[in-house]
Amino acid sequence: MAIIRTENLSRVYRENSIEVKALTDVNLQIQRGDFAVLAGPSGSGKTTLLNMLGALDRPTSGRAWLDGHEITSLSKMDRSRLRRDHIGFIFQFYNLIPVLTAYENAEFVLLLQGVSHHDRETKVSELLKKVGLSGLEHRKPHELSGGQQQRVAIARALASSPSVVLADEPTANLDSQTEQGLLDLMEQLNRDLGTTFLFSSHDPEVIDRARRLIVLRDGVVVSDTRRD
Amino acid sequence: MILMKMAWRNLWRNPRRTLITVFSMAFGLTMMIVSYCLMEGMFDQMVRYATLLGSGHIQVHHPDYLEDRSLYDTIQDPGGVLEAIAGTGVGPSSPRSFATALISSGPQSAGGILWGIDPASEVNVTEMHRHLELGSFLSPLTRGEVVLGRNLARTLSVGTGDEVIVLTQAADGSLGNDVYTVSGVLRSVGEAVDRGGVIMNIMDLDELLSLNGRIHEVAVRLDQPGSLDEGTYTVSRALSASGLDVRNWRKLFPELDEYLRLSDTSTWIVLVIIFAVASLGIMNTQLMALFERTREIGIMRALGLGPYSVAVMVFLETLFLTLFAAVAGGVVGSLWSSYLHSHGWDLRSVGGSFAFVGVTFDPYLRATLTVRAVAESIAIMIIVAMVATIYPLFRSTRITPVDAIGRGR
């Protein structure tokens, strides 16, 4: 069953009265439980597509559905709610909230959802343990290494039990050893929790791990390979 | 709760900037409270000098008396009037009579105004007896003494113990004249009194003018000067059957009243301008903080934080800044005003006493610290700070996740 579906999704940017086609008629289906990678060179439209699917940006034309919701027709507030309840984000630069501790960062979305204190505590403690950060809960982001920060970001992305985790170049700033560890972790979470992962990356290590590889070039899907 | 926690911690990400902002707001508030209290003090002093060094808060006259101050427009039953006023409980009252006269001493002479007062009750109504430059004030037990205005004493070249001759027109058509001993000379209290004031026992004046117990004025000092309208109404009601004219100092000194009203408004305008300038600091701080955190706010928006929640967070930051400044500025401003209330501000080095609408003021400013002054200053600061944060709030709601994180390609 497709958790993500797009129909002729296109995005055109206008820069100094010049139109730039970032995405052109993308038709795609991501199945529940997929561990998929959007690959392609810089400027191929990976992040743009991820932004559309994450309800962060609106397409110029076409439609997209996430877990049964048509993202493209939602209001600003509804898109906020959809992101909060259905999508987990992992960013290239970790993007943790600097004034919050590791624990509070992981707890953030649960607080927005109004989850009870007890349930939050159980969930966040369990997740931080899973990502190997037990004992570092009270550290602020600047007191953690890049790999540890990205582990907090993974815990944050998974805290709300989202339908899908969208990860934009999540290993781009990590050394290869940390990268391997994180990819192992995400694979394991994908297997254990059944969470759908969709990455954008041109990192061979990430592409190697993909069970489905979608290649973009100049905003067009040029190949879509399942490697189960 | 999370928004409050983040707002609080955000303030301390750049402690120096936060402290500078709080300091500038607190300084503005301190200056505002001190200025407000000094203005209040100055206004109080003006009213006090105008009322307690002459007029009293309320005056009662024959309905025609104030038009031309005729010797013949008298209150026929002063005892009844004083009794009626005493019955209202608004405050002490005292009878007075007036006449113009020629005052002379040796070869010197000058025109003057005779003020007949009852020394026993006058001291409860005005404070002229405390405003002496030389000698002593009139005693209820002694007769034949006068207290002179400062300039009149200089014109006549007399001091305490000297004699002056008073010549005036009496009510029965005769010429009234007598010799009086100068018991004291007043400090400057007002143009008219300084130039020609001859204060004497009302019984002496009654004899001199042949008034036969009639008087020209009853002055009332209110126990609650703030309840001027209420006091005036009470006295008017008590004397309604007599047909006498009852006026309070606002009607007696319309120029002063007008000045105070205008000053009140202009004080507010100046204070709001001071704070509007200070508020630019708040806006600048909040905008800088917002621009620095655009990416971070975008991330929070991406995670599902609504645009209005971002605005609430920015609002809470301003609120914390404002509350800090309110406490600091409120305490310092109150302490400073309190000091200026008890010690005063001596302006003699920059100028002598000055006169306004016929009343002379000492160049010695005392602040009047009131809850109202502090509360209104804090309220203005909070309102201005909230207005100053509208634009940053608006900007914060416009930050989109994709703008903050980057569109990518």
Side-chain angles (χ1 to χ4, degrees):
Chain A
M1 184 189 167
I3 196 159
I4 291 173
R5 186 161 69 87
T6 69
E7 194 178 278
N8 299 324
L9 204 64
S10 298
R11 183 66 164 102
V12 178
Y13 293 117
R14 191 176 288 276
E15 282 174 8
N16 300 327
S17 74
I18 297 166
E19 283 193 351
V20 179
K21 287 184 176 176
L23 282 180
T24 309
D25 292 332
V26 172
N27 292 292
L28 201 64
Q29 289 199 0
I30 305 291
Q31 304 304 314
R32 197 176 290 277
D34 254 353
F35 197 76
V37 174
L38 293 169
S42 291
S44 59
K46 302 187 295 294
T47 300
T48 303
L49 181 55
L50 223 51
N51 285 347
M52 301 291 147
L53 300 179
L56 297 173
D57 199 5
R58 285 175 183 278
T60 311
S61 63
R63 297 197 291 174
W65 290 263
L66 189 142
D67 211 5
H69 301 89
E70 191 192 336
I71 312 165
T72 38
S73 65
L74 293 177
S75 68
K76 205 188 224 183
M77 290 302 288
D78 286 339
R79 280 189 289 144
S80 272
R81 279 190 210 107
L82 180 84
R83 290 195 298 267
R84 184 189 69 191
D85 298 335
H86 294 273
I87 307 170
F89 288 98
I90 303 171
F91 302 99
Q92 181 180 345
F93 298 103
Y94 329 130
N95 286 327
L96 299 178
I97 301 165
V99 291
L100 300 182
T101 62
Y103 182 93
E104 289 165 340
N105 264 287
E107 187 191 29
F108 185 75
V109 180
L110 296 176
L111 279 164
L112 298 184
Q113 287 178 324
V115 175
S116 71
H117 177 77
H118 176 263
D119 290 352
R120 288 199 313 266
E121 198 171 14
T122 310
K123 184 92 188 206
V124 173
S125 301
E126 184 192 324
L127 274 169
L128 288 176
K129 192 175 169 191
K130 244 183 192 126
V131 298
L133 288 176
S134 292
L136 302 176
E137 294 92 339
H138 300 296
R139 291 209 184 164
K140 293 266 179 71
H142 70 271
E143 296 166 329
L144 298 169
S145 69
Q148 287 170 331
Q149 287 189 52
Q150 200 60 305
R151 282 168 187 269
V152 177
I154 291 168
R156 179 177 70 183
L158 292 169
S160 62
S161 307
S163 314
V164 60
V165 172
L166 303 176
D168 188 12
E169 311 265 11
T171 56
N173 288 303
L174 302 174
D175 60 71
S176 61
Q177 197 182 343
T178 311
E179 179 187 3
Q180 291 297 335
L182 275 176
L183 287 171
D184 288 345
L185 175 67
M186 286 190 275
E187 269 187 325
Q188 190 194 332
L189 292 168
N190 170 251
R191 272 197 307 272
D192 294 354
L193 306 174
T195 309
T196 308
F197 277 81
L198 177 61
F199 298 87
S200 84
S201 182
H202 49 228
D203 179 349
E205 288 291 339
V206 180
I207 291 167
D208 261 8
R209 304 276 187 127
R211 294 206 296 275
R212 185 174 170 196
L213 182 64
I214 302 152
V215 180
L216 287 164
R217 185 162 293 127
D218 297 330
V220 177
V221 175
V222 291
S223 75
D224 186 350
T225 322
R226 188 163 282 283
R227 309 194 295 192
D228 290 330
Chain B
M1 197 62 195
I2 185 73
L3 295 177
M4 202 175 274
K5 191 188 279 183
M6 285 195 296
W8 174 255
R9 291 183 189 172
N10 280 334
L11 288 182
W12 304 109
R13 291 167 78 163
N14 193 334
R16 188 189 298 180
R17 184 167 64 199
T18 298
L19 290 174
I20 287 172
T21 307
V22 169
F23 177 79
S24 62
M25 289 171 74
F27 179 74
L29 179 61
T30 300
M31 297 313 293
M32 194 164 166
I33 290 172
V34 171
S35 311
Y36 196 129
C37 291
L38 281 173
M39 292 297 251
E40 286 284 299
M42 195 175 83
F43 297 158
D44 280 356
Q45 190 188 352
M46 281 181 162
V47 173
R48 215 168 36 118
Y49 272 50
T51 56
L52 300 186
L53 292 181
S55 73
H57 295 121
I58 297 170
Q59 290 183 353
V60 181
H61 303 100
H62 180 280
D64 299 327
Y65 180 74
L66 286 177
E67 261 180 49
D68 53 8
R69 296 187 177 266
S70 163
L71 189 63
Y72 306 102
D73 292 330
T74 55
I75 297 170
Q76 303 288 330
D77 177 22
V81 171
L82 290 165
E83 201 174 313
I85 293 169
T88 63
V90 294
S93 56
S94 184
R96 293 169 175 177
S97 287
F98 302 96
T100 51
L102 182 71
I103 324 294
S104 59
S105 173
Q108 316 291 339
S109 63
I113 304 163
L114 307 179
W115 279 45
I117 60 156
D118 170 24
S121 59
E122 185 69 27
V123 295
N124 298 322
V125 175
T126 64
E127 291 178 358
M128 276 192 289
H129 59 286
R130 292 191 186 139
H131 226 70
L132 288 170
E133 191 171 85
L134 291 172
S136 57
F137 200 67
L138 302 176
S139 153
L141 303 174
T142 50
R143 302 274 299 271
E145 291 185 339
V146 290
V147 172
L148 301 182
R150 190 175 68 169
N151 297 349
L152 179 63
R154 283 179 191 163
T155 306
L156 298 176
S157 305
V158 294
T160 53
D162 292 337
E163 290 186 335
V164 291
I165 299 165
V166 174
L167 181 66
T168 186
Q169 165 87 49
D172 59 3
S174 64
L175 272 180
N177 63 86
D178 213 335
V179 178
Y180 299 90
T181 306
V182 177
S183 71
V185 176
L186 290 169
R187 291 207 311 262
S188 180
V189 294
E191 228 173 305
V193 177
D194 288 355
R195 197 178 57 235
V198 179
I199 299 167
M200 58 170 57
N201 192 307
I202 195 167
M203 290 167 79
D204 286 340
L205 189 59
D206 185 77
E207 276 177 18
L208 190 68
L209 300 177
S210 303
L211 284 172
N212 300 321
R214 290 169 292 161
I215 61 167
H216 293 120
E217 179 177 291
V218 173
V220 183
R221 177 178 183 166
L222 294 174
D223 289 336
Q224 304 288 332
S227 310
L228 187 66
D229 290 336
E230 200 185 326
T232 311
Y233 174 72
T234 306
V235 173
S236 298
R237 206 176 45 181
L239 300 176
S240 58
S242 67
L244 293 171
D245 179 38
V246 178
R247 295 188 192 190
N248 58 37
W249 66 262
R250 287 191 186 279
K251 298 282 182 201
L252 294 164
F253 301 111
E255 304 96 329
L256 179 62
D257 183 40
E258 188 68 14
Y259 173 78
L260 293 178
R261 285 180 203 279
L262 282 174
S263 298
D264 219 23
T265 311
S266 58
T267 304
W268 265 78
I269 292 170
V270 169
L271 295 180
V272 168
I273 290 171
I274 289 173
F275 239 92
V277 172
S279 73
L280 290 175
I282 303 167
M283 190 158 79
N284 181 49
T285 302
Q286 290 305 80
L287 277 177
M288 276 171 66
L290 205 62
F291 292 147
E292 280 173 11
R293 302 202 316 255
T294 298
R295 184 179 181 84
E296 187 182 315
I297 290 170
I299 297 297
M300 290 191 277
R301 294 273 292 108
L303 296 176
L305 189 72
Y308 301 112
S309 299
V310 175
V312 168
M313 187 176 71
V314 175
F315 174 80
L316 285 172
E317 287 172 26
T318 308
L319 191 65
F320 287 144
L321 284 173
T322 310
L323 290 178
F324 273 139
V327 172
V331 168
V332 176
S334 300
L335 288 175
W336 193 356
S337 300
S338 180
Y339 175 83
L340 288 174
H341 173 72
S342 52
H343 291 78
W345 186 7
D346 192 350
L347 298 171
R348 278 175 294 193
S349 57
V350 290
S353 58
F354 63 97
F356 182 72
V357 291
V359 182
T360 303
F361 301 94
D362 274 346
Y364 203 74
L365 210 49
R366 276 184 195 280
T368 300
L369 176 63
T370 59
V371 173
R372 187 183 148 204
V374 178
E376 281 185 3
S377 301
I378 290 175
I380 291 173
M381 185 191 72
I382 291 173
I383 290 167
V384 172
M386 294 302 123
V387 170
T389 204
I390 288 174
Y391 182 62
L393 283 184
F394 173 74
R395 288 296 299 258
S396 72
T397 62
R398 310 294 291 176
I399 295 173
T400 64
V402 76
D403 285 336
I405 298 164
R407 289 184 189 280
R409 191 57 61 77

